[in-house]
Every structure is written in structure tokens, then in C-alpha cells.
Amino acid sequence: MKKFIPITIFGISMGFLEAAVVVYLRQIYYPTGFSFPLNPYIDKNILFIELIREVSTIIMLICIGIIAAKDFIKKFCYFLFVFGVWDIFYYIGLKFFLNWPESLLTWDVLFLIPVVWVGPVVAPVICSLTMIFIAMVVIYIDERYKILLKGKFVDWLLVILGSFLIYIAFTFDFTKLIIEKGFIKKFFMLADDVQFAKVVGSYVPQKFMWWLFIIGEFLILFAFFKVMRENMIIKNKKNIILSIKHLPLFF
């Protein structure tokens, strides 16, 4: 559990670093303060660099998980943990630097890959808290009870499905915009499309798909607690069997 200390410090530092970069970008493209609709006239080279930055950030977080443990499950958990810390402190950094967001219900742009992710700030924060909780519980159970939680195929399926629903909730607005306005055929050239820029420049998201987000969160947590319960039951049964085997025999 001591590994969480340097990993937490790393996540906090990366969160503030990310916030600093966004401060610079907003000063350039949103000098009066960030809000929707988005600025559709961001330089194509800057947009490309921003995409590279997002990918690089995720790779750095993955590397932390790889370095921190040997087992795949624990590697994944450390990645989830540092991702959650990074994301939460990114918003804390923005609040410190810019006094933004105004509230947890303020809308933000989360990612740009493969389409724009948007949603109220509280939604990614909930995701981050979920990742931190799951990661810490898995590591704690492994170190305290020597049980490395491992799920069945159906459990992983539930997690993947839940994650996909959350992904849809975040990307629904802009995916729908691209399809309904007929830009799907120009998907890989949208950065150069003048008409698409005009559409984005007048589009303001109105309603987040909370019901889809909540179902996704429920499926992930349901699968997690199911796996935890099943693994603990198996461990208890093994302990009982071992105890019986070591009982003295009286004749």
C-alpha cells in the first residue's frame, strides 16, 4: 500500500501540469473565459499537438501501472488509481488557477479522441472516484488477505459494457452531430472542413445522458462487488478445508 504515496504525488503533479497547459490554451483561444459553443478556428497544427498530448498523457499513466506491479490485475489497478488522481487534481488545478469550473455541473471538454467528449465536470469526477475506490480495494485485499481478485469472462464483459455505455454518454452529442449533419464521410478531414467548423461554432450541448452514465457505473460496480464476493467465498472455503485437514484425529 506504500506505493500509493509516490503514485498519488505523481498523479497530483500531473493533474496540475495538465491544468497549466489548459490555462495556456484557454488564454489563446478563450481569452474571455471558456464556454460553449467551442471555438471552431483552432489552428490545425495546435489541434494535432493537442491530440498527441492526450495520447502521451495516457501512455505515461499506463507506464506507472507497468512499473508499480508485476501482475496484470495490479498493474491495471495502479493505472486506474493514478488516472483517477490525475483527473481530479486536473480540475482542482483549474479551480486554483482560473477559479473554474463555476460548479460541478459546468460542462467541459474531456477528450478529443476519436470524437469530442463532453459532459458536466461531476461525471468524470465520479468516474475517477470509482477507479480510485476499485484500485485501492483490490490492492488492499491482495495485501491483507492474499486474494488477488480475478473475474470470469462474464464479469469482464459487464465491465466492458458499462465502460462503453459511459463512453457513449460522453461522446453522444458530437457523434450525433457528425452523423445527423452528414459529416461521417469526412470524419478524418473534419479539421479542414469549413462547414463543420460553422456547425461546431454554434452548437451548445444541452442535456447529458445521465441514465446511460448511471447504468454504466452500476454495471461496473455490480461486476466488481460480484467478483469480490465470489473470491472471498472461495478463499473462506479453502481456509475451512485446510483447518479441517489440520484438526487432530481422536479415536
Side-chain angles (χ1 to χ4, degrees):
M1 297 295 287
K2 291 180 180 178
K3 289 182 181 179
F4 281 120
I5 297 175
I7 290 176
T8 299
I9 295 173
F10 179 87
I12 293 172
S13 300
M14 272 202 67
F16 275 91
L17 177 63
E18 186 93 355
V21 173
V22 171
V23 169
Y24 303 148
L25 288 172
R26 292 189 179 184
Q27 184 64 36
I28 297 170
Y29 292 104
Y30 299 92
T32 59
F34 174 78
S35 63
F36 287 87
L38 299 178
N39 183 344
Y41 301 108
I42 297 177
D43 184 88
K44 190 171 72 171
N45 291 328
I46 295 296
L47 182 60
F48 177 73
I49 292 171
E50 181 65 10
L51 294 176
I52 296 298
R53 182 180 70 85
E54 288 189 358
V55 173
S56 299
T57 299
I58 300 301
I59 291 174
M60 290 173 67
L61 298 176
I62 290 174
C63 287
I64 290 297
I66 294 174
I67 294 170
K70 295 180 179 180
D71 184 273
F72 171 76
I73 298 296
K74 293 174 76 172
K75 289 178 187 289
F76 186 60
C77 284
Y78 282 119
F79 162 70
L80 290 179
F81 178 82
V82 71
F83 188 104
V85 172
W86 158 72
D87 193 44
I88 289 173
F89 277 88
Y90 161 69
Y91 284 113
I92 291 176
L94 286 180
K95 189 67 177 177
F96 178 77
F97 293 136
L98 300 176
N99 194 29
W100 187 95
E102 291 82 6
S103 75
L104 288 174
L105 294 178
T106 301
W107 282 70
D108 187 28
V109 175
L110 312 179
F111 286 105
L112 300 175
I113 304 173
V115 296
V116 180
W117 299 37
V118 296
V121 169
V122 68
V125 170
I126 290 172
C127 290
S128 296
L129 291 174
T130 301
M131 290 188 284
I132 291 172
F133 168 73
I134 290 175
M136 293 193 72
V137 170
V138 171
I139 300 299
Y140 174 78
I141 289 178
D142 175 60
E143 295 195 3
R144 176 67 176 81
Y145 300 103
K146 305 302 178 185
I147 304 174
L148 185 56
L149 300 182
K150 294 183 178 179
K152 302 173 184 176
F153 174 76
V154 65
D155 301 317
W156 282 104
L157 195 62
L158 287 173
V159 171
I160 293 172
L161 178 59
S163 301
F164 183 65
L165 292 178
I166 292 174
Y167 164 78
I168 292 176
F170 284 130
T171 60
F172 181 82
D173 283 83
F174 276 82
T175 300
K176 181 181 178 183
L177 188 69
I178 291 171
I179 294 174
E180 286 188 347
K181 300 295 183 179
F183 294 109
I184 190 68
K185 294 180 180 179
K186 304 177 182 178
F187 183 78
F188 295 102
M189 298 178 290
L190 290 178
D192 297 319
D193 194 288
V194 176
Q195 190 60 35
F196 181 71
K198 291 181 180 179
V199 172
V200 171
S202 61
Y203 182 74
V204 179
Q206 299 293 329
K207 189 175 181 182
F208 185 65
M209 300 185 72
W210 279 111
W211 64 274
L212 206 59
F213 179 86
I214 292 171
I215 292 175
E217 275 281 318
F218 172 79
L219 290 177
I220 293 171
L221 290 173
F222 175 80
F224 172 69
F225 284 112
K226 176 178 176 291
V227 169
M228 186 169 64
R229 179 177 178 275
E230 290 173 351
N231 279 262
M232 295 295 283
I233 289 175
I234 292 172
K235 178 68 174 179
N236 290 335
K237 285 182 178 179
K238 287 181 179 179
N239 289 338
I240 292 172
I241 292 172
L242 287 173
S243 299
I244 293 174
K245 285 183 178 180
H246 288 87
L247 284 174
L249 297 178
F250 296 96
F251 298 96

